[in-house]
Amino acid sequence: PFWRDWRQKRPQAARFLALCLATALRESYEEMGLNPFGVRFLGPLPPERLELFRRRIHPLAAWARESRRFRPNWEVQRVVHVPLRELLDPHRYVRLSVRLEAAHAGPAPAAERIHPAFRMPADGGTEILWGATFRIVAGFLKFVFDFTPPALERLPQVSTRLGESYLAGKPAASRTP
């Protein structure tokens, strides 16, 4: 409802936001088959910097009708439905130990980093939400519900390994534990 006023007072920011929204709708349609006419834009979220790559993500919050009928393309490994009530359950959060292994590194030990993460059972396995996606979702939960996941040091630890395919942007052969 405030778009017209905002566009007049902050035209450069409004153009950037319109570009982000158009890009998000196009990418969502191309990668997931999400009908752009069934999406209601709620607002922008704070930008997120990717740790391993020199890129910024400009996430947007939106409400999508009929969001269970996705048709992912080759860029999407899988679609995971995460109920909001699960994201608001403090017992679903873990401390994720990520070991990055590179084949060319030889006998040197793999680098290990600790990240906050969200874990839930899905389709006979376990899904882990971590990294930039986790930070975006956590920011959304804080802004909308004033929910903050438990402190990292109080969380149970789980481990995973990432090979070179992760850095190359190729799908992993197996699921995260």
Side-chain angles (χ1 to χ4, degrees):
F2 305 104
W3 174 248
R4 186 177 303 167
D5 184 52
W6 197 60
R7 199 171 64 192
Q8 288 175 349
K9 291 181 180 176
R10 300 184 63 195
Q12 190 172 5
R15 279 192 298 277
F16 181 72
L17 182 59
L19 177 64
C20 288
L21 180 57
T23 302
L25 291 172
R26 177 181 49 83
E27 289 291 321
S28 298
Y29 176 73
E30 287 176 6
E31 294 180 14
M32 306 276 298
L34 181 67
N35 180 354
F37 297 107
V39 175
R40 183 169 181 227
F41 175 59
L42 299 176
L45 296 170
E48 181 62 45
R49 186 182 67 80
L50 294 176
E51 290 185 18
L52 293 176
F53 307 101
R54 293 182 182 184
R55 296 200 175 128
R56 286 181 77 100
I57 299 172
H58 296 277
L60 306 173
W63 185 265
R65 292 181 300 207
E66 299 297 322
S67 60
R68 287 186 175 247
R69 295 188 179 162
F70 294 120
R71 294 179 313 279
N73 73 4
W74 64 271
E75 295 177 81
V76 179
Q77 186 175 5
R78 66 185 165 276
V79 176
V80 179
H81 175 74
V82 182
L84 183 57
R85 70 181 168 276
E86 300 291 334
L87 289 167
L88 296 171
D89 180 356
H91 297 98
R92 294 278 183 208
Y93 291 86
V94 295
R95 181 176 58 232
L96 180 66
S97 168
V98 177
R99 192 171 289 274
L100 187 57
E101 298 177 343
H104 65 278
E112 180 182 31
R113 296 183 73 187
I114 303 294
H115 300 272
F118 170 83
R119 175 180 62 178
M120 69 173 257
D123 297 330
T126 301
E127 292 294 338
I128 303 276
L129 179 74
W130 67 286
T133 306
F134 175 88
R135 294 188 303 270
I136 291 167
V137 169
F140 172 80
L141 295 173
K142 177 68 178 163
F143 182 76
V144 175
F145 299 101
D146 197 26
F147 173 83
T148 303
L152 191 61
E153 59 275 359
R154 293 191 358 232
L155 297 174
Q157 184 163 318
V158 296
S159 300
T160 192
R161 295 174 188 220
L162 299 175
E164 285 187 21
S165 62
Y166 178 79
L167 294 176
K170 299 174 187 170
S174 62
R175 302 180 93 173
T176 304

